[in-house]
Amino acid sequence: MSIKEKNGNKEIVLSHKEILQKGNHPANKDHLTEENPLQKIRKSKKTIHTAIDSGEPAFQKKQIETQIFELKEQLHAKEQYLLNLTNAINTTNAAVEFDMEGNILTANKNFLKIMGYTAKDLLGKHHSLLVDSSYSKSNAYQFFWNDLKKGIYQKDEFILTAKNGQLIWFLGSYNPIFNTESKPYKILKIATDITLAKTQFLQLAVQAEEKEKRSSELIIANKELAFQNKEKENRAAELIIANKELKFQNEQKEKRANELIDANKELAIQSREKEKRAAELIIANKKLASEKILKEKRKLEKLKRAAELIVKNKELAYQEKRSSELTLANDELRKAQEELGSFSYSVSHDLRAPIRAINGYTQILIEDHADSIDDDGKKIIQAIINNSNKMGILIDDLLAFSKLGRKEVSSANINMLALVNAVISEITVEKGENIPIFEIEELAHSNGDPSLIKQVWINLISNAIKYSKYKPEIRIKITSTFEKDKIIYSVKDWGAGFDMAYYDKLFGVFQRLHSQDEFAGTGIGLAIVQKIVNRHSGTVWAESKLDAGANFYFSLPNIKH
C-alpha cells in the first residue's frame, strides 16, 4: 500500500486483496485508486507463455489457456454490468451542502439513506465526521479544503465512512458556490454511490490474480510430480535387486525350518512326558495346600474369638465406670439446679423488697411534701423512681435469662410465617412514632420449642424497631434460606447499626453498644436470643455498619435434611 498527494487530497493505492479485506472497516482517505485488473491479466498471460515455452505438457497448456479465456469472459461481463449499473445510479444523486469551514448545512434523502444517518445526526457537524480521523488531521485534508475555499472545483472518486463504519464509494464532485461578489460562500457535493459496482470490479480483479497464482502453483506441482516419478523408477530398480536377495534368504530359511520341525517333534514327545509328571505333582501339592489352609483358618478363628472376648470385657468395664460417673454427675447437676433456683428466688425477693421501699418512700415524698420540694428536688425524685423501675426490669430479665438454662426444651413443627405474624400483631407503637413497614418473604418451617423461638423473634424484631426509631422510615425485612443441613433466618433493618469492632460484646449479658439515653434497654435481650438458639443446636450472628442498619441471623437444624 502507498499514499500520495493529488489536488491537495490524500490518495491511497491499495491492492485488490487489501480493499476486500477491509470490508466494513472505516476508510482511511477520501480518494482511492487501484491498478487496472487488465494489466494483471496481461502479466499473467506473459507468465503462462513463458511456462508454455519451457516445454510443459500440452494438456496443462490447454488447461491454462482455457482458464485465461474464461477469466476474460468474466471480466468482460463484469465490465458491462458495471457500465449498466453506473448508468442506473446516475439517475439518483446524493447531495450535501457545507459552509466554507466544512460544517454540514443540508443533506438530501439519498445521501442520508446511503450513509445511514439522519438529518439530526449530520446538520451542524463538520465534514471530518464522514472521513477517517487520521486523514482529517493530515496536511492533505487541509490542502483539500484550502483549495475549495479558493473556489477550486474538485472531482474524483471518494471513499466516505457510513454511520455503521462501512466504506462507501462515491463518484462525484465538490462544487464551490459563488455569491454576487464572485466569492465562494458554500460548497455543494454532488455524488453517486458506486460502492456495489466498485466492489464487484475489485472482486473480479482479485479472482484474476488468484487464477494467475493457481496456474503458477500448477506448473510447480507438475515439476514436482515429474521429479517424484523419476525417484519412483529408481526405487523400483532397487526393489528388484532386493527381491532377488530376499528369495535366496527365504530358500535358506526353509531348509532351517525343516530341521527345526524335526527337532520340535522330538521336543514334543519329551514335553508330553514332562506334562504327565507335572500334573501328578500339581495334584499332590493341591492336597498339601488344602490341608495347610484348613489348619491356618482354624488357628485364625481361635485368635479372632479370643480378641473379641477381650474387647467385650473392656467395653463392659468401661460402661460400668461411665454409668457410675454419669450417676454422680446427674446428682451434682440436680443439686446445682436446686441451689440456682433457690438463689434466683432469693435474689428476686431480696432485691425487689428494697426497690419497692424506694418507690414507696419517693411516692410519699411526692404526695405529702410536694409543696416543700423545689423543681430540682422533684426531678431527683423522678430520677429515683425511673431508676428503681429500670432495676425491676433488669431483675426480671436476669431471672428470665437464668431460667433458660433450666427450662426443658420441647420440639414441635413450627409455622414460622404464622409465628412472625403473631409477634408483629402484638407489637405496640407509641403515639407519635413511625409505624414499622415489614417486608416478609415465605419463611421455611422448622422444629423447636414454639414459646422459646417466639421470644427470639420478639427480641430481634423489637431491637430492629427500637434502633430505627430516629430514621424517617422504619423498614424491616425478614427472610429465610436453606444451607446444607440448616435453615437460616434473618431480620434486617436500616437503623442506627453498630461498629463491628465491638462485635465481641454484642451477645454478652449487660453489654450495650449504645448509651442508655439514646436507646433504652437492659442489655440482656441478645444474650437471651443466643442462649435459646444454642439450646436448639443453632447459632446466631450479625452484620452491620454504623448508621447504615444491621442484619441479624440465626440458624436452626433442618430436620428433613
Side-chain angles (χ1 to χ4, degrees), residues 498-517:
F498 59 86
D499 191 343
M500 290 294 285
Y502 303 103
Y503 181 81
D504 56 334
K505 297 182 179 181
L506 190 62
F507 297 100
V509 179
F510 304 133
Q511 297 290 336
R512 294 178 53 79
L513 302 185
H514 298 275
S515 67
Q516 182 71 30
D517 295 336

Side-chain angles (χ1 to χ4, degrees), residues 56-64:
E56 296 297 332
F59 172 76
Q60 293 178 4
K61 294 177 183 177
K62 183 66 176 178
Q63 186 179 26
I64 293 169

Side-chain angles (χ1 to χ4, degrees), residues 35 37-48 64 67-68 71 205-220:
E35 185 180 356
L38 291 173
Q39 295 174 357
K40 290 195 174 184
I41 292 173
R42 293 189 188 101
K43 291 180 182 179
S44 176
K45 192 172 181 181
K46 288 180 182 179
T47 303
I48 293 166
I64 293 169
Q67 290 177 353
I68 293 300
L71 188 60
V206 171
Q207 290 175 3
E209 186 178 352
E210 288 294 326
K211 291 286 187 180
E212 180 184 346
K213 182 179 177 182
R214 289 289 300 277
S215 64
S216 299
E217 291 174 351
L218 284 172
I219 291 169
I220 294 170

Side-chain angles (χ1 to χ4, degrees), residues 20-37:
L20 294 178
Q21 287 170 353
K22 285 191 175 289
N24 291 332
H25 291 291
N28 290 327
K29 306 293 175 287
D30 267 340
H31 302 281
L32 193 63
T33 61
E34 61 193 31
E35 185 180 356
N36 190 335

Side-chain angles (χ1 to χ4, degrees), residues 1-4 10-16 18-19 29 31-35:
M1 182 180 71
S2 64
I3 301 174
K4 63 182 180 180
K10 183 175 287 188
E11 179 177 301
I12 303 173
V13 180
L14 300 176
S15 69
H16 308 305
E18 289 174 339
I19 291 297
K29 306 293 175 287
H31 302 281
L32 193 63
T33 61
E34 61 193 31
E35 185 180 356

Side-chain angles (χ1 to χ4, degrees), residues 144-160:
F144 171 74
W145 276 101
N146 288 339
D147 286 346
L148 289 176
K149 290 178 182 180
K150 294 174 183 178
I152 299 175
Y153 169 82
Q154 303 281 353
K155 181 179 179 181
D156 208 334
E157 290 181 353
F158 304 94
I159 295 180
L160 298 186

Side-chain angles (χ1 to χ4, degrees), residues 131-324:
V131 299
D132 182 75
S133 60
S134 61
Y135 174 53
S136 66
K137 297 175 183 177
S138 67
N139 292 331
Y141 185 71
Q142 295 302 321
F143 293 153
F144 171 74
W145 276 101
N146 288 339
D147 286 346
L148 289 176
K149 290 178 182 180
K150 294 174 183 178
I152 299 175
Y153 169 82
Q154 303 281 353
K155 181 179 179 181
D156 208 334
E157 290 181 353
F158 304 94
I159 295 180
L160 298 186
T161 305
K163 186 175 182 179
N164 62 3
Q166 183 181 357
L167 299 179
I168 305 296
W169 285 81
F170 282 105
L171 176 63
S173 60
Y174 285 81
N175 306 281
I177 306 299
F178 297 89
N179 59 15
T180 56
E181 298 176 356
S182 299
K183 291 184 179 180
Y185 69 97
K186 66 179 180 180
I187 308 297
L188 174 62
K189 174 183 173 65
I190 300 175
T192 301
D193 181 6
I194 61 169
T195 303
L196 179 62
K198 195 72 175 178
T199 303
Q200 291 180 343
F201 183 79
L202 293 175
Q203 287 177 340
L204 186 61
V206 171
Q207 290 175 3
E209 186 178 352
E210 288 294 326
K211 291 286 187 180
E212 180 184 346
K213 182 179 177 182
R214 289 289 300 277
S215 64
S216 299
E217 291 174 351
L218 284 172
I219 291 169
I220 294 170
N222 285 330
K223 290 181 179 180
E224 179 67 22
L225 185 62
F227 175 76
Q228 290 177 1
N229 288 334
K230 193 175 291 184
E231 287 294 317
K232 285 179 181 179
E233 290 175 0
N234 295 335
R235 291 292 302 278
E238 293 173 356
L239 285 172
I240 292 170
I241 296 169
N243 285 332
K244 289 181 180 179
E245 179 67 24
L246 186 60
K247 182 179 179 181
F248 174 76
Q249 292 177 359
N250 287 335
E251 289 174 354
Q252 295 296 318
K253 286 179 180 178
E254 285 178 4
K255 290 181 181 179
R256 293 179 184 175
N258 292 330
E259 294 173 355
L260 288 172
I261 289 169
D262 294 336
N264 285 333
K265 288 179 180 178
E266 180 65 25
L267 287 173
I269 295 169
Q270 295 176 3
S271 296
R272 281 195 290 270
E273 289 296 326
K274 289 180 180 179
E275 285 174 1
K276 287 180 182 179
R277 294 178 184 176
E280 293 171 356
L281 287 172
I282 289 168
I283 293 169
N285 288 332
K286 284 182 178 179
K287 289 181 179 178
L288 290 173
S290 298
E291 292 174 358
K292 188 175 181 180
I293 288 168
L294 285 173
K295 288 180 181 178
E296 291 295 330
K297 282 184 178 178
R298 290 170 185 169
K299 184 177 179 181
L300 287 172
E301 286 292 332
K302 289 179 181 179
L303 292 173
K304 185 178 178 181
R305 289 178 185 176
E308 289 174 351
L309 288 172
I310 292 168
V311 172
K312 287 180 179 179
N313 288 333
K314 287 182 179 179
E315 288 178 353
L316 288 171
Y318 177 74
Q319 289 174 1
E320 289 175 358
K321 183 180 178 182
R322 287 290 295 161
S323 178
S324 301

Side-chain angles (χ1 to χ4, degrees), residues 403-410 449 452 535:
K403 287 178 182 177
L404 285 175
R406 304 192 304 276
K407 187 179 186 305
E408 184 178 351
V409 178
S410 64
D449 190 313
L452 293 178
R535 293 205 66 191

